[in-house]
């Protein structure tokens, strides 16, 4: 059995407790306007081109069996909708100017890689996190991977955007120690506007999760994550509505509600993929803004101590 992953991030300290390896899966059912992993949206393996490394030798064009590449004044043009992801162009490039995005991998191959950092997981209380993209959309592969990890005593976390069938999620839950569930926007129409999909399935999955947690002892830990996006998620009405939903449906079940500050470090990634990005000119938030939204969340009816803020903030340069 094989899955399509984007990459592994080793020594991660942001995707659950302790030191972790995060497996980023390829493919997502949401198209969030602010997505900071645009390379994870498509299920297909893709390529990205680095203009600064390119020698303009045109070797890649000669090696594409399908003629999906051309060089113009604007740089290497890739017929992305037709590209098969065979990576022959990347292999032929003498300057590493073309990099593969995504690879097929088997469970035993991936386990061999994940086992290498076992000592770090054990010493730090860490483990392996499945993230993406949306891992549960490759449910057969994820289930087999999680079962293997659990059998070897490696702690597991699932980072999900919730846009998957309840049946898929139910298959994965017995094998995870921590669920990190994204809850972005409570208003259905606004959710659709900013992510391309309404939030009905996401809220249903959270309610299913609430029922599941009640029946488990010990139950997996649950973290809720909300990105703070100016003009989209970061407003009083939305954060109050999320807090109210959590209090009503998951009282005492959420151990952490993390507000993740808007991140613009993916700007160049959008350029490499030739995808226009609405947030290209958007600055990072100031520390004060992020703390303000933290206070709004703390006053939304949930236990205030579960709210944490994270992410890079803007450094203000003060005039002397
Ligand atoms: S990945 Fe394969 S199909 Fe796609 S552009 Fe490169 S050589 Fe052509
Ligand atoms: S083979 Fe590499 S260096 Fe040569 S034109 Fe293609 S991308 Fe540029």
């Amino acid at each position: 059995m094989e899955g399509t992953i984007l990459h592994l991030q080793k020594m991660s300290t942001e995707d659950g407790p302790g030191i972790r390896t995060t497996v980023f899966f390829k493919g997502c059912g949401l198209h969030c306007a602010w997505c900071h992993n645009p390379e994870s949206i498509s299920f297909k393996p893709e390529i990205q081109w680095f203009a600064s490394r390119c020698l303009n030798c045109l070797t890649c064009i000669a090696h594409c069996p399908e003629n999906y590449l051309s060089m113009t004044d604007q740089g290497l043009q890739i017929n992305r909708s037709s590209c098969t992801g065979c990576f022959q162009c990347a292999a032929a490039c003498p300057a590493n100017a073309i990099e593969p995005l995504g690879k097929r991998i088997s469970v035993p191959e991936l386990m061999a890689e994940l086992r290498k950092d076992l000592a770090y997981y054990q010493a730090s209380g860490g483990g392996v996190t499945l993230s993406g993209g949306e891992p549960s959309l490759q449910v057969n592969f994820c289930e087999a991977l999680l079962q293997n990890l659990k059998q070897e005593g490696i702690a597991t976390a699932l980072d999900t955007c919730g846009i998957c069938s309840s049946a898929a999620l139910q298959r994965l839950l017995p094998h995870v120690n921590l669920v990190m569930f994204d809850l972005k926007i409570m208003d259905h129409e606004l959710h659709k506007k900013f992510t391309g999909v309404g939030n009905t399935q996401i809220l249903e999955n959270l309610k299913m999760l609430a029922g599941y947690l009640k029946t488990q002892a010990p139950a997996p830990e649950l973290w809720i994550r909300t990105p703070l996006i100016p003009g989209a998620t970061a407003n009083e009405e939305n954060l109050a509505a999320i807090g109210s939903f959590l209090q009503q449906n998951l009282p005492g079940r959420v151990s952490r509600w993390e507000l993740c500050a808007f991140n613009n470090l993916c700007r160049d990634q959008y350029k490499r993929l030739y995808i226009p990005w609405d947030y290209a000119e958007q600055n990072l938030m100031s520390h004060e803004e992020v703390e303000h939204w933290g206070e709004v969340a703390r006053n939304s009816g949930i236990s205030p101590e579960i709210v944490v803020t994270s992410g890079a903030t803007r450094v203000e340069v003060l005039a002397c």
Side-chain angles (χ1 to χ4, degrees), residues 1-265:
M1 186 188 302
E2 288 190 330
T4 306
I5 65 166
L6 187 60
H7 65 97
L8 298 183
Q9 186 170 338
K10 293 192 165 215
M11 300 293 157
S12 168
T13 54
E14 294 177 355
D15 296 310
I19 295 174
R20 313 190 71 81
T21 299
T22 304
V23 184
F24 286 92
F25 283 79
K26 216 158 156 21
C28 186
L30 296 182
H31 289 73
C32 301
W34 56 84
C35 177
H36 64 271
N37 273 332
E39 67 277 28
S40 70
I41 294 176
S42 168
F43 288 85
K44 285 199 323 180
E46 299 170 278
I47 53 171
Q48 60 180 339
W49 176 68
F50 291 80
S52 59
R53 300 180 200 162
C54 180
L55 308 171
N56 209 17
C57 65
L58 308 185
T59 306
C60 52
I61 294 170
H63 279 77
C64 177
E66 313 287 351
N67 284 326
Y68 290 151
L69 296 174
S70 58
M71 190 64 82
T72 70
D73 290 346
Q74 282 72 48
L76 189 69
Q77 304 300 309
I78 305 157
N79 183 340
R80 290 191 176 277
S81 57
S82 303
C83 169
T84 59
C86 70
F87 302 145
Q88 290 186 43
C89 53
C93 174
N96 284 331
I98 298 178
E99 287 189 0
L101 288 170
K103 76 171 195 176
R104 301 280 296 161
I105 192 165
S106 69
V107 172
E109 277 176 299
L110 188 47
M111 282 300 298
E113 202 52 48
L114 297 172
R115 254 183 233 119
K116 290 178 184 170
D117 289 331
L118 187 59
Y120 292 103
Y121 311 148
Q122 289 172 339
S124 68
V128 170
T129 299
L130 275 49
S131 184
E134 175 51 50
S136 56
L137 295 177
Q138 299 185 52
V139 64
N140 293 337
F141 181 82
C142 283
E143 187 180 42
L145 177 62
L146 289 167
Q147 280 170 340
N148 273 262
L149 289 164
K150 291 294 275 187
Q151 274 163 14
E152 297 194 18
I154 299 174
T156 56
L158 174 68
D159 179 12
T160 177
C161 71
I163 201 78
C164 57
S165 72
S166 296
L169 212 48
Q170 277 166 338
R171 281 174 59 186
L172 302 183
L173 289 175
H175 314 296
V176 295
N177 302 102
L178 167 67
V179 180
M180 292 184 284
F181 199 113
D182 291 357
L183 188 48
K184 300 172 169 80
I185 299 177
M186 285 305 293
D187 181 272
H188 180 84
E189 289 308 315
L190 288 176
H191 196 282
K192 199 169 180 177
K193 174 181 169 189
F194 285 108
T195 72
V197 185
N199 60 10
T200 308
Q201 190 174 30
I202 294 169
L203 299 181
E204 272 174 14
N205 277 337
L206 257 180
K207 287 178 186 168
M208 179 278 291
L209 186 55
Y212 175 82
L213 295 177
K214 274 186 205 156
T215 64
Q216 301 301 305
E221 198 178 342
L222 174 60
W223 293 5
I224 299 294
R225 304 219 280 191
T226 303
L228 289 175
I229 310 300
T233 68
N235 62 72
E236 307 220 353
E237 199 181 347
N238 186 46
L239 295 176
I242 293 176
S244 169
F245 178 90
L246 296 179
Q247 186 55 22
Q248 217 177 330
N249 293 282
L250 291 145
R253 293 285 170 191
V254 181
S255 54
R256 177 174 166 129
W257 179 14
E258 185 174 354
L259 306 179
C260 316
F262 167 77
N263 178 335
N264 62 10
L265 299 176

